[in-house]
Amino acid sequence: VLGLSKAGMVREAYFVFSVLLDKGLVRGAYNFNSVLWAFSKLNGCRSAVAFFCFLQKKGFVHNVCSYTALIYGFCKDGLWDDAFRCFAKMEADGCKPNVISYTVVVKFLCDNGKVDEALSLLGVMEKKGCNPDLVTYNIVLRELCHHNKVVEISELVRVIHQHGFSPDPYTHSALAGGMLRRRRTDIANKILLDIIPTSCSVDVVVYNIYIHTLCCNQRSEEALSKMMCMTELGF
């Protein structure tokens, strides 16, 4: 069921699940959450809600992963009020949202340009005792860069350090990529030059952004040389 769901074959996954259900072999949320997620990702909230309610009627108890899948479906369809009502329902049922639950909403808010709402949700997370992780911060940081919100970027970087996180390649690519999209190649270049010589964990995405900044600054020969060096290093 999990393999079929991951492959996007949701009808087939549901069929196998139904057979298992008829045979009494479905024991808990682990057996059906992958199908619920597949419905949310491929068909949005309508199919996911129907399947969610069907499971409830069968007496199955949903866990945090089940509710998060439903929240994903609501956000995918842009139904923000329903997504937040799902949070309330989740807590009322004694199931505490985790960082993944919140990060799903944060990501969709940022993807839709609602960065101020995403920042507010970070505050809600902390009040609820669910501290954002570096993945959550990186998503918001990237969107702040796209909106050129320099003050908010500086504050969020301070918060990241305050919470004991060390910026990773995704943080650097979010900052540099955001600046590059705003045509601030000078800032992007400085960010990358500060971390590339000192970091052993820089990935190909960071190098690609660096090459892009060089090309934007009419330094294409240097960009080509850097790409050849990367190839020699195994990229």
Side-chain angles (χ1 to χ4, degrees):
V1 172
L2 180 62
L4 290 167
S5 298
K6 284 186 174 180
M9 302 171 69
V10 64
R11 289 179 181 273
E12 291 82 353
Y14 180 74
F15 172 76
V16 175
F17 171 80
S18 298
V19 172
L20 295 174
L21 185 63
D22 289 342
K23 291 179 178 293
L25 298 175
V26 177
R27 304 298 181 199
Y30 179 79
N31 296 118
F32 58 72
N33 277 340
S34 60
V35 183
L36 189 56
W37 269 99
F39 275 132
S40 287
K41 289 180 177 179
L42 296 176
N43 301 329
C45 66
R46 186 180 294 254
S47 299
V49 169
F51 185 54
F52 187 95
C53 294
F54 165 77
L55 292 167
Q56 270 193 326
K57 289 178 181 177
K58 288 287 184 179
F60 291 105
V61 177
H62 294 294
N63 63 12
V64 63
C65 186
S66 314
Y67 284 100
T68 302
L70 210 57
I71 289 167
Y72 182 100
F74 286 131
C75 291
K76 184 174 184 289
D77 290 349
L79 301 172
W80 306 110
D81 290 341
D82 291 303
F84 287 110
R85 272 195 286 270
C86 193
F87 270 106
K89 165 72 173 165
M90 187 177 183
E91 291 180 306
D93 289 347
C95 196
K96 187 177 180 180
N98 61 17
V99 67
I100 297 173
S101 311
Y102 284 107
T103 301
V104 164
V105 184
V106 167
K107 183 180 186 306
F108 275 103
L109 286 171
C110 288
D111 287 348
N112 284 270
K114 299 177 181 290
V115 68
D116 291 331
E117 289 89 336
L119 281 171
S120 296
L121 190 56
L122 293 185
V124 171
M125 289 177 69
E126 292 183 352
K127 286 179 182 177
K128 295 276 189 179
C130 180
N131 291 324
D133 61 13
L134 191 56
V135 174
T136 318
Y137 285 127
N138 284 345
I139 291 168
V140 179
L141 191 61
R142 182 173 180 271
E143 190 61 22
L144 287 172
C145 290
H146 290 169
H147 289 267
N148 203 26
K149 290 180 175 285
V150 179
V151 174
E152 289 84 351
I153 291 168
S154 177
E155 175 61 20
L156 191 60
V157 170
R158 185 192 66 77
V159 170
I160 289 171
H161 284 289
Q162 182 182 318
H163 281 80
F165 293 113
S166 297
D168 63 5
Y170 295 102
T171 314
H172 298 132
S173 60
L175 280 167
M179 290 296 106
L180 181 61
R181 288 189 62 172
R182 300 296 300 180
R183 301 179 184 273
R184 297 303 304 270
T185 55
D186 53 334
I187 299 177
N189 201 49
K190 184 179 186 308
I191 291 168
L192 296 172
L193 285 176
D194 284 344
I195 62 105
I196 286 176
T198 59
S199 176
C200 61
S201 61
V202 174
D203 63 6
V204 71
V205 175
V206 174
Y207 275 116
N208 283 345
I209 295 170
Y210 180 53
I211 289 171
H212 196 165
T213 63
L214 292 175
C215 291
C216 288
N217 289 325
Q218 290 79 50
R219 294 161 65 186
S220 55
E221 288 186 5
E222 190 178 341
L224 179 59
S225 174
K226 174 57 69 175
M227 192 171 72
M228 298 302 292
C229 289
M230 287 168 57
T231 304
E232 290 173 6
L233 291 171
F235 282 95

